[in-house]
Amino acid sequence: MSTIERPAGTPRNEVAIGGHAELRNSLAELAERHDLSEPARRFVLSYYDDVPVAQIGDRDTIDLYGAALSHWQLLAERPEGTTRVRVFNPDFEVDGWQ
């Protein structure tokens, strides 16, 4: 996974500031910067739609993006009809999110 960089001037947490709509906007900007495929982009943008703001409001938007993208990548690597589990502890300096 490549390192994810925070765009200059981006607040640490758009969820706490503007709720799901602001989070989707920030995730869309990050997806565009990282040139995600359309299916990956749709996955990342909808990943937190049903999660209460109270549960993610204190998370850094970069971390939310990284977690959703990591799950997409795990799905992309999973052969059909198999179960795949990965234990992953991201490091900000290496992965760009934590």
Side-chain angles (χ1 to χ4, degrees):
M1 174 186 236
S2 62
T3 300
I4 301 168
E5 294 183 24
R6 178 190 320 280
T10 302
R12 285 186 54 86
N13 189 316
E14 287 82 358
V15 182
I17 296 168
H20 283 101
E22 189 62 33
L23 174 62
R24 282 181 72 92
N25 290 339
S26 296
L27 293 174
E29 182 179 323
L30 288 166
E32 187 172 323
R33 287 180 186 265
H34 295 102
D35 197 28
L36 292 186
S37 68
E38 186 56 27
R41 181 184 172 283
R42 286 193 314 265
F43 180 85
V44 168
L45 293 184
S46 65
Y47 192 82
Y48 297 101
D49 284 353
D50 295 323
V51 178
V53 170
Q55 290 185 6
I56 56 176
D58 62 344
R59 297 294 181 108
D60 190 327
T61 304
I62 292 289
D63 295 339
L64 295 172
Y65 175 80
L69 186 57
S70 178
H71 287 156
W72 172 260
Q73 291 169 337
L74 179 64
L75 288 170
E77 298 167 357
R78 183 184 67 84
E80 187 174 336
T82 65
T83 302
R84 183 132 186 199
V85 177
R86 175 174 60 192
V87 177
F88 180 62
N89 189 12
D91 179 89
F92 186 79
E93 284 76 28
V94 174
D95 303 302
W97 67 283
Q98 57 187 12

